[in-house]
Amino acid sequence: MSSVVFAQFSDSHLYGDKSAMHFGQNVYQNLLRVLAQIGEDGDMQFAIFSGDLSQDHSKQSYRNFVQAVEESKINIPIYWLAGNHDSLRYMENLLTHRLICHDKDIEIQGLQLILLNSKSDTPAGFVRPTELERLAHVSKPTLVMMHHHAIPVNYFIDRHGLLNREEFWHAVNIQDKVIGVACGHIHRGITIAPGVQNKAPLYGCPATSIQFDPEFDGVKALPEGPAYRKFCFQNTQLTTEIKRLSFDGDRVS
């Protein structure tokens, strides 16, 4: 059986000004570099952006995302999820590009991906019942994707985690074909193995903007470059690795 290869990238935190620096890094250029590298990988079939596109909430930041897609020369479909920083209305209306897809269900070569909306009225996440009901239709190996993390990671971002994680994991755990849950939000490329609460592994995605320092009680950037996650699905098995780019910014606390 042929494989399905795709990328997850996340948390670009763009500004309306492309030259703006975020904790010492030019986040527009970081996004551009990540998109270009994904596009240069000849195995990649599509990519999924898992939220927190904007840092300053400006319409121009969303337009800059589209411009980065164009400028990077990437040529694969890009799906998206909203993060707590984002405006769903802006994403739906301003992410207009031939490669940007608004579908939230993807089926390809025996793999299903379900993109859940976890955006709430606060920075924390909440998956509404209508979204959870979508998990009842799992019929093949499925990767669930959303912005917020559904398991604590033991640093400050847990204050903005998924509020109804018990309900979420109940909906996931009763579906034996869910092979993983992938999130953004935590700005770290970590994997949490299946456990008592979660029958499926949780894959955290590093950010294209900055990587959080888990030892600091608040936002502090590690001296690391942008990164993304690469997935490969083959013979009903999902494998994944983190792809890191060089660090070109200044170290800023």
Side-chain angles (χ1 to χ4, degrees):
M1 178 183 291
S2 59
S3 59
V4 180
V5 180
F6 58 99
Q8 178 192 4
F9 66 109
S10 197
D11 295 87
S12 56
H13 291 271
L14 298 179
Y15 294 83
D17 180 357
K18 291 182 183 178
S19 66
M21 304 294 283
H22 186 62
F23 289 85
Q25 299 216 36
N26 183 309
V27 289
Y28 180 81
Q29 289 299 320
N30 278 2
L31 174 63
L32 194 60
R33 292 172 62 206
V34 167
L35 287 170
Q37 183 162 309
I38 292 172
E40 290 166 1
D41 186 332
D43 294 328
M44 289 290 188
Q45 293 164 264
F46 59 93
I48 298 172
F49 176 73
S50 50
D52 274 5
L53 181 156
S54 180
Q55 177 63 26
D56 66 1
H57 312 293
S58 66
K59 288 185 177 180
Q60 187 59 42
S61 64
Y62 296 86
R63 298 187 182 105
N64 288 346
F65 185 93
V66 174
Q67 290 173 17
V69 171
E70 184 67 23
E71 188 178 347
S72 71
K73 307 300 183 184
I74 194 171
N75 195 33
I76 56 174
I78 297 173
Y79 301 84
W80 60 266
L81 284 161
N84 50 288
H85 279 258
D86 297 326
S87 162
L88 266 173
R89 181 166 60 88
Y90 285 178
M91 295 185 95
E92 290 168 349
N93 294 333
L94 299 177
L95 297 186
T96 54
H97 188 277
R98 63 182 179 84
L99 294 176
I100 298 178
C101 307
H102 298 256
D103 307 86
K104 301 296 182 256
D105 289 282
I106 306 164
E107 293 191 19
I108 178 171
Q109 295 173 215
L111 174 68
Q112 182 174 11
L113 296 99
I114 298 178
L115 280 56
L116 293 182
N117 177 21
S118 63
K119 180 176 170 57
S120 72
D121 295 330
T122 73
F126 187 86
V127 182
R128 290 173 173 79
T130 52
E131 287 290 281
L132 290 178
E133 287 171 7
R134 295 170 60 203
L135 298 176
H137 303 292
V138 169
S139 60
K140 59 188 66 176
T142 296
L143 177 65
V144 177
M145 305 190 75
M146 60 185 179
H147 178 69
H148 291 83
H149 61 301
I151 298 176
V153 291
N154 301 318
Y155 55 101
F156 84 94
I157 198 68
D158 286 342
R159 295 197 287 268
H160 311 303
L162 190 69
L163 295 175
N164 60 331
R165 63 176 181 263
E166 290 185 4
E167 291 88 347
F168 170 77
W169 283 116
H170 175 74
V172 168
N173 290 341
I174 61 176
Q175 301 295 336
D176 60 5
K177 291 191 178 296
V178 174
I179 57 176
V181 175
C183 71
H185 193 51
I186 62 174
H187 290 237
R188 288 185 70 204
I190 63 175
T191 296
I192 298 177
V196 174
Q197 181 183 21
N198 57 306
K199 290 185 178 179
L202 178 76
Y203 302 111
C205 189
T208 68
S209 55
I210 61 170
Q211 314 309 330
F212 286 158
D213 183 346
E215 302 300 323
F216 186 73
D217 189 22
V219 178
K220 182 180 181 181
L222 291 169
E224 298 178 359
Y228 63 97
R229 187 178 279 278
K230 180 177 180 178
F231 288 97
C232 179
F233 175 76
Q234 188 173 30
N235 297 326
T236 73
Q237 300 298 311
L238 185 70
T239 57
T240 181
E241 61 181 315
I242 301 298
K243 296 290 189 177
R244 301 187 185 279
L245 284 70
S246 62
F247 176 60
D248 292 337
D250 298 322
R251 185 167 187 170
V252 176
S253 298

